Amino acid sequence: MRLFRPGFLAGCLYPEALFRVKTTEKILYLTFDDGPDPVSTPQLLDILKEHDIKALFFCNGGAAETYPDLINQILKGGHLIGNHGYNHFDGWRTDSVKYINDVTRASKYTSDKIFRPPFGRLSFRQKRLLKSYKLVFWDIMAYDFDVTFGSENSLRVLKKKIRTGSIIVLHDTASSTITSIIGEFLTFAINSGYRFELINVFT
Ligand SMILES: [Zn+2]
């Protein structure tokens, strides 16, 4: 089953996490997971620059260590980098000490303040051990990483689900379909009266 918006349960499990920014204004927040990637990152940065939009990149620690130039390009573009773990572990299936060590290892190359758990899964113990991090989840998942879903369906989800304060999760990977549709989505959102901002993670 594809869940385009986290269910009620997610908010109960992670009450301290940010899913949607409280605002009455038509503001959207773009986030890109799993990068950096030599194919998709430069393309995304170009498109974002064209539209003068800043985004939050939840980078994979391993990829960030491999591609420091891409990390620099993201930062130079005025974007923010968050921590998405080093090895993309599933918190529900990973021993807590191993999990925390993985996040700490990734923090050297990404962030020691903002974290998005891979798969959105974190145990209560892991959550407690990571309490110094601001946890950022999402309000809209477009399944751009899922080639069987297809770019047209992802575009339809994005157009239909956006609402004030939505945090949108997309993927900065070569296999993601997002680079083919993001331009059209940004134009649609802007023409619908939305603007894009960076999440203020320190409030
Ligand atoms: Zn991920």
Side-chain angles (χ1 to χ4, degrees):
M1 193 183 73
R2 293 185 177 98
L3 209 58
F4 303 118
R5 230 191 259 299
F8 173 72
L9 198 61
C12 298
L13 280 174
Y14 310 106
E16 60 286 270
L18 187 64
F19 290 84
R20 182 184 178 194
V21 175
K22 277 198 185 79
T23 175
T24 53
E25 292 182 66
K26 294 180 88 172
I27 306 173
L28 300 170
Y29 302 86
L30 288 181
T31 65
F32 293 95
D33 287 8
D34 301 346
D37 178 275
V39 175
S40 57
T41 305
Q43 291 180 36
L44 289 172
L45 290 177
D46 280 351
I47 297 167
L48 292 172
K49 192 175 174 187
E50 250 171 58
H51 291 82
D52 194 22
I53 290 170
K54 310 295 180 211
L56 174 49
F57 287 77
F58 282 99
C59 291
N60 175 292
E65 184 181 10
T66 308
Y67 303 112
D69 286 356
L70 292 176
I71 293 292
N72 286 334
Q73 281 180 44
I74 293 171
L75 292 171
K76 243 190 348 210
H79 309 284
L80 264 185
I81 290 182
N83 188 330
H84 195 48
Y86 193 92
N87 287 299
H88 210 267
F89 286 144
D90 178 343
W92 292 355
R93 293 165 186 268
T94 310
D95 166 78
S96 289
V97 172
K98 184 177 171 187
Y99 190 86
I100 303 307
N101 286 341
D102 184 78
V103 175
T104 305
R105 185 179 178 197
S107 71
K108 293 189 202 104
Y109 310 101
T110 59
S111 167
D112 60 359
K113 293 184 175 64
I114 321 159
F115 178 62
R116 171 175 283 162
F119 313 101
R121 292 176 186 164
L122 207 56
S123 73
F124 284 104
R125 179 155 186 242
Q126 290 157 4
K127 203 171 65 168
R128 206 173 57 242
L129 292 168
L130 292 171
K131 66 176 186 299
S132 63
Y133 284 87
K134 176 78 187 170
L135 294 180
V136 179
F137 282 56
W138 57 86
D139 184 49
I140 302 170
M141 163 82 80
Y143 288 85
D144 56 301
F145 60 87
D146 181 352
V147 286
T148 65
F149 189 55
S151 59
E152 286 307 310
N153 283 325
S154 290
L155 182 60
R156 194 159 47 232
V157 168
L158 289 169
K159 286 180 173 179
K160 203 171 143 200
K161 295 287 183 188
I162 47 173
R163 57 183 181 177
T164 57
S166 282
I167 297 172
I168 302 168
V169 56
L170 302 166
H171 292 80
D172 177 11
T173 59
S175 57
S176 166
T177 60
I178 195 59
T179 46
S180 65
I181 56 163
I182 192 165
E184 187 178 340
F185 167 62
L186 296 178
T187 303
F188 170 86
I190 290 162
N191 289 342
S192 307
Y194 285 94
R195 67 178 194 272
F196 291 84
E197 286 191 5
L198 258 185
I199 298 172
N200 186 347
V201 287
F202 304 110
T203 56

